[in-house]
Amino acid sequence: MSEEGNGALIILGCPEVPVQQALALYAADRLNEDEWDVLVAGNSAVLVLLKVSDPKKVYVKRMVELDRCIEELASGERHPGVCIVFAHNDAGISYATTIRYLFEGRLIVVVFGREAEELAEQLDIPCEKIVEKAIHNPGKLRRKLDEVLGWAA
């Protein structure tokens, strides 16, 4: 089950903010192109949305419930090379903090939504932050993600 550094883990929060799903599919596609072994973790609602959005598993080939993923990180079963956490509320910030303490690799936290700046201030862990008040339009967040991950043209 271990990715041994070639795995990319995308952690999604509650799917109430529309940009999250678009960016998750976009990031999964780009990571797949870069030959990462992509795994998406989230609650059952967000995973169902992804299954409906990508029924042929073109972008998201593997998914896992978030609690199980955290257990696997804690037990040492899972060792991704990079982890991208999407956070638009306090729970997302808490998950990002938990992931930081279970994962020593490259951590990118995408903070978005109406309260993005305030939430980002709560993020007191070593990580790369992408912060944008995006709710419906993922354009600015996509450009920032491209820059951080080296996909910018």
Side-chain angles (χ1 to χ4, degrees):
M1 180 169 312
S2 171
E3 297 96 341
E4 293 306 324
N6 191 38
L9 179 58
I10 299 173
I11 306 273
L12 302 177
C14 178
E16 69 185 64
V17 180
V19 297
Q20 177 179 252
Q21 181 148 333
L23 286 169
L25 290 170
Y26 175 78
D29 180 51
R30 295 301 304 263
L31 290 164
N32 284 323
E33 283 181 9
D34 289 347
E35 299 183 2
W36 287 90
D37 180 16
V38 179
L39 176 68
V40 177
N43 66 27
S44 58
V46 76
L47 296 181
V48 168
L49 282 172
L50 288 174
K51 287 176 187 176
V52 170
S53 299
D54 187 19
K56 294 181 180 161
K57 297 183 179 183
V58 173
Y59 306 108
V60 180
K61 295 167 181 35
R62 298 184 314 122
M63 293 184 242
V64 65
E65 286 282 337
L66 183 53
D67 290 337
R68 179 174 169 205
C69 181
I70 289 172
E71 288 172 13
E72 291 171 355
L73 286 167
S75 71
E77 288 180 66
R78 189 165 300 286
H79 303 281
V82 64
C83 182
I84 303 170
V85 178
F86 287 84
H88 70 89
N89 58 22
D90 291 336
I93 298 300
S94 294
Y95 277 119
T97 302
T98 299
I99 296 300
R100 172 74 294 159
Y101 289 104
L102 298 175
F103 169 71
E104 295 179 9
R106 184 177 185 191
L107 176 62
I108 301 163
V109 182
V110 180
V111 185
F112 60 100
R114 286 180 175 78
E115 310 296 325
E117 289 90 2
E118 294 84 358
L119 283 171
E121 290 174 10
Q122 296 175 29
L123 196 58
D124 190 24
I125 56 172
C127 67
E128 296 172 73
K129 293 181 198 176
I130 299 172
V131 182
E132 186 65 46
K133 269 193 161 178
I135 299 162
H136 299 294
N137 184 346
K140 288 181 181 178
L141 272 173
R142 182 191 52 83
R143 284 189 293 280
K144 289 179 179 183
L145 191 61
D146 284 348
E147 289 174 16
V148 168
L149 288 165
W151 299 329

